[in-house]
Amino acid sequence: MYDADIEPDTHKAAGRHADAHVPRTLVHKAADREVLLSAAQPLADDRFAVWMRWPHDHLLHGRSADGVRDSLIVVETMRQAGIYLSHRYHGVPMDHAFVLHSFEYDLSAPIRDLGNGADVVLDITVRREPGKPDRFKLASEAELLVGGRSVGRAGMSWQALAPKHYAVVRHRCAGVPSLADFTAPPADPAPLRPEAVGRDREDAVLIGDCPEEPGSWRLRMDTGHPALFDHESDHVPGMVIVESFRQAVLVEAAKRAPDGWELRAMHTTFASFGELDQPVTVSAEPLGDHAYLATARQGERALATARVAGRPAAPLAGMAAEAGAAAC
């Protein structure tokens, strides 16, 4: 068992402040402002408490006017926690590449933090599958607590690969060339309206119309984006695909819930690497009441799929009651 300076089964963050953060290199970020973790502490074998430093205002991870966080902040938080704990406590070397296989989260209540994430903690377990000493295959599961109250659960699986192993996997998983690969990629389509995808800025819109495939959208990839392309990548980042899923589902859900729709759960599986110089098509197909199947493709090749669930947005008074606040 790891030595710990806090008692197991507690999540008290004594002396911890949301303006502090873990080293950005240990979460694979280039800018301090993109680091979402404040600190981490072992609780028991493979189990940790991870405290947050969520931004009050952010291009993608801010809070709405009623104080509710965008649920996708859970995805990026889990991604960073997995990378950090892999390096810090599971001995993964810094030169290893991380390949995400799957993640999921399911919220039981809206996320309403203090505005800086200081009252948010992940109770997370990270386990490494047995195998060769130089191979790292890991999985995590976590409970998300806000102000000591559980608001949902999340999980993720990934591999950390040495450079030579990553080069083999990356080459093997690359798309098969076609005639289209030898022509200039099409220009990014005009973005949808920000309000249609739950954003308030055009540079946060990742999908545009796809006239050649009605009912689908074309992914817009701005490799200079300060949040989604914070660091250099040789493929389409997983968070870019996830955010495009979120936006596509919101557009589709608006047809059935014109007053708004809240995303509460997502289970995503990644199938292959997406090439930066080839167009990506995103779709969202209804699966029944308040559930959708989102898919990202390059040609006939699936990059990722996700089952997304939510519900129509509740009236403001109802949301306040759900959070235990007095409506006035």
Side-chain angles (χ1 to χ4, degrees):
M1 180 180 293
Y2 298 115
D3 292 334
D5 58 12
I6 60 176
E7 293 297 322
D9 300 319
T10 67
H11 305 95
K12 295 181 180 179
R16 305 188 189 280
H17 305 281
D19 56 350
H21 60 82
V22 302
R24 64 179 183 271
T25 55
L26 292 184
V27 294
H28 297 189
K29 285 294 182 180
D32 287 342
R33 66 177 180 274
E34 297 298 328
V35 179
L36 302 183
L37 312 184
S38 175
Q41 178 66 53
L43 297 176
D45 286 343
D46 299 328
R47 181 176 166 223
F48 307 86
V50 180
W51 290 276
M52 303 302 112
R53 46 105 63 174
W54 286 352
H56 179 75
D57 185 26
H58 188 273
L59 188 65
L60 299 175
H61 304 311
R63 303 195 304 166
S64 62
D66 58 15
V68 176
R69 285 280 180 182
D70 189 307
S71 66
L72 253 61
I73 197 170
V74 177
V75 180
E76 177 60 17
T77 299
M78 284 289 290
R79 191 193 73 83
Q80 292 191 19
I83 294 173
Y84 177 78
L85 296 174
S86 294
H87 286 312
R88 179 72 174 81
Y89 295 101
H90 281 278
V92 174
M94 288 300 299
D95 66 346
H96 278 39
F98 282 66
V99 178
L100 184 61
H101 294 306
S102 67
F103 77 83
E104 59 184 80
Y105 73 90
D106 194 337
L107 299 181
S108 56
I111 300 175
R112 287 188 173 86
D113 64 288
L114 292 175
N116 60 3
D119 57 335
V120 182
V121 63
L122 276 181
D123 184 335
I124 182 170
T125 299
V126 177
R127 293 189 174 92
R128 178 183 173 186
E129 290 188 11
K132 296 180 179 179
D134 61 343
R135 300 294 176 96
F136 298 89
K137 191 172 184 179
L138 303 106
S140 66
E141 54 185 34
E143 184 175 18
L144 180 67
L145 300 106
V146 180
R149 173 192 176 202
S150 176
V151 299
R153 305 189 69 83
M156 188 172 72
S157 64
W158 68 98
Q159 276 186 288
L161 301 174
K164 64 179 181 181
H165 294 143
Y166 176 74
V168 172
V169 171
R170 182 69 179 90
H171 177 74
R172 184 175 68 237
C173 295
V176 177
S178 67
L179 286 177
D181 298 333
F182 301 99
T183 62
D188 276 347
L192 299 185
R193 293 177 295 105
E195 56 270 26
V197 298
R199 296 301 182 199
D200 58 5
R201 295 170 47 172
E202 186 173 295
D203 58 354
V205 180
L206 297 192
I207 57 175
D209 289 329
C210 183
E212 62 273 27
E213 295 187 43
S216 297
W217 298 272
R218 184 72 75 203
L219 180 63
R220 306 176 73 251
M221 284 187 288
D222 175 8
T223 56
H225 195 287
L228 293 171
F229 284 87
D230 164 79
H231 59 285
E232 187 175 347
S233 177
D234 69 350
H235 59 274
V236 181
M239 280 304 299
V240 171
I241 292 176
V242 170
E243 173 62 20
S244 74
F245 283 168
R246 173 197 173 279
Q247 295 188 11
V249 167
L250 285 180
V251 174
E252 187 65 31
K255 300 174 183 178
R256 298 160 182 79
D259 294 329
W261 194 81
E262 298 172 352
L263 192 156
R264 289 294 187 90
M266 180 182 285
H267 187 164
T268 302
T269 301
F270 294 91
S272 61
F273 294 98
E275 306 302 332
L276 292 170
D277 60 350
Q278 299 177 27
V280 177
T281 302
V282 179
S283 62
E285 175 187 352
L287 292 177
D289 290 343
H290 315 309
Y292 298 84
L293 176 64
T295 305
R297 295 182 176 277
Q298 280 190 324
E300 298 301 316
R301 185 166 53 96
L303 304 182
T305 58
R307 295 178 67 91
V308 183
R311 68 180 189 183
L316 185 58
M319 289 189 293
E322 182 179 1
C328 57

